[in-house]
Amino acid sequence: MDLRTVGRIGRPHGIRGEVLVEVRTDDPDERFAPGKVLITEPGASPSDPAAYKVPDRLTVEAARAHQGRLIVVFEGVYDRNVAEALRGVLLSVDSAEIADPTDPDEFNDHQLVGLTAVTTSGETLGEVARVDHAPASDMLVLRRPEGRTSLVPFVKAIVPEVDLAGGRVVVDPPEGLLDL
């Protein structure tokens, strides 16, 4: 099973078990729809054995947008103490459950992660480590050969080509972008 992270549970919101979730997917309406079952990060249980044990899966009961994040209620999590025990837990789905987009210019995050980033002249820039979803545009996070990371806006003007079959993305960075 190839897991794809779709969110991370943050702090509790209120006293009834609601939690803030940092979204890490391009389709939160689908991933956090009521009834969806999400896989939790293995070993995410607190170190205290008497504390609440994080289950292997959590089922979404309700979700709503709140200041750029989601407020989510999971089945069986109805008080603040249990919600607090979930803080930091990563939420994932099996990539086999994620349908490929029908638009040829649209990609799922898991399709981009691992691709080699090259310039228009063929120079290797690094590897796509993850995709960050920023308010203005999605950002490709490149793991550079020298060990640092670079952020590349995932827009047609800067990333003119995505070659899934060839395992690469072509990047045409403006002057200084990769030096930030």
Side-chain angles (χ1 to χ4, degrees), residues 38-151:
L38 301 172
I39 302 164
T40 60
E41 174 187 347
S45 299
S47 57
D48 177 7
Y52 174 78
K53 177 164 175 18
V54 176
D56 294 336
R57 297 181 185 327
L58 290 170
T59 302
V60 176
E61 187 171 296
R64 68 182 191 277
H66 178 71
Q67 298 178 349
R69 293 191 228 170
L70 286 180
I71 294 177
V72 180
V73 176
F74 293 106
E75 288 181 8
V77 179
Y78 302 119
D79 71 51
R80 186 175 182 89
N81 292 335
V82 175
E84 182 64 45
L86 295 174
R87 188 189 290 242
V89 170
L90 293 176
L91 303 167
S92 303
V93 295
D94 185 349
S95 63
E97 297 175 13
I98 301 173
D100 290 338
T102 55
D103 182 344
D105 289 330
E106 190 174 316
F107 304 93
N108 287 323
D109 293 0
H110 74 272
Q111 293 175 296
L112 300 170
V113 172
L115 297 180
T116 300
V118 298
T119 63
T120 53
S121 61
E123 175 190 351
T124 300
L125 297 172
E127 179 182 299
V128 178
R130 69 176 190 275
V131 179
D132 285 351
H133 301 280
S137 72
D138 293 339
M139 304 289 279
L140 298 179
V141 179
L142 302 184
R143 185 178 309 113
R144 303 294 304 273
E146 63 274 10
R148 63 186 182 92
T149 59
S150 294
L151 296 175

Side-chain angles (χ1 to χ4, degrees), residues 138-179:
D138 293 339
M139 304 289 279
L140 298 179
V141 179
L142 302 184
R143 185 178 309 113
R144 303 294 304 273
E146 63 274 10
R148 63 186 182 92
T149 59
S150 294
L151 296 175
V152 175
F154 190 46
V155 295
K156 193 78 163 169
I158 298 174
V159 185
E161 181 183 348
V162 176
D163 179 7
L164 294 178
R168 68 188 189 119
V169 293
V170 176
V171 178
D172 188 9
E175 184 71 31
L177 177 70
L178 300 175
D179 298 328

Side-chain angles (χ1 to χ4, degrees), residues 1-53:
M1 180 173 5
D2 186 20
L3 297 180
R4 299 296 171 200
T5 301
V6 297
R8 186 181 69 75
I9 298 175
R11 65 178 176 78
H13 182 81
I15 61 171
R16 296 195 173 121
E18 294 177 317
V19 293
L20 289 171
V21 173
E22 174 190 318
V23 176
R24 295 185 182 177
T25 178
D26 51 357
D27 195 2
D29 293 337
E30 170 69 19
R31 304 288 163 251
F32 294 95
K36 286 291 184 175
V37 177
L38 301 172
I39 302 164
T40 60
E41 174 187 347
S45 299
S47 57
D48 177 7
Y52 174 78
K53 177 164 175 18

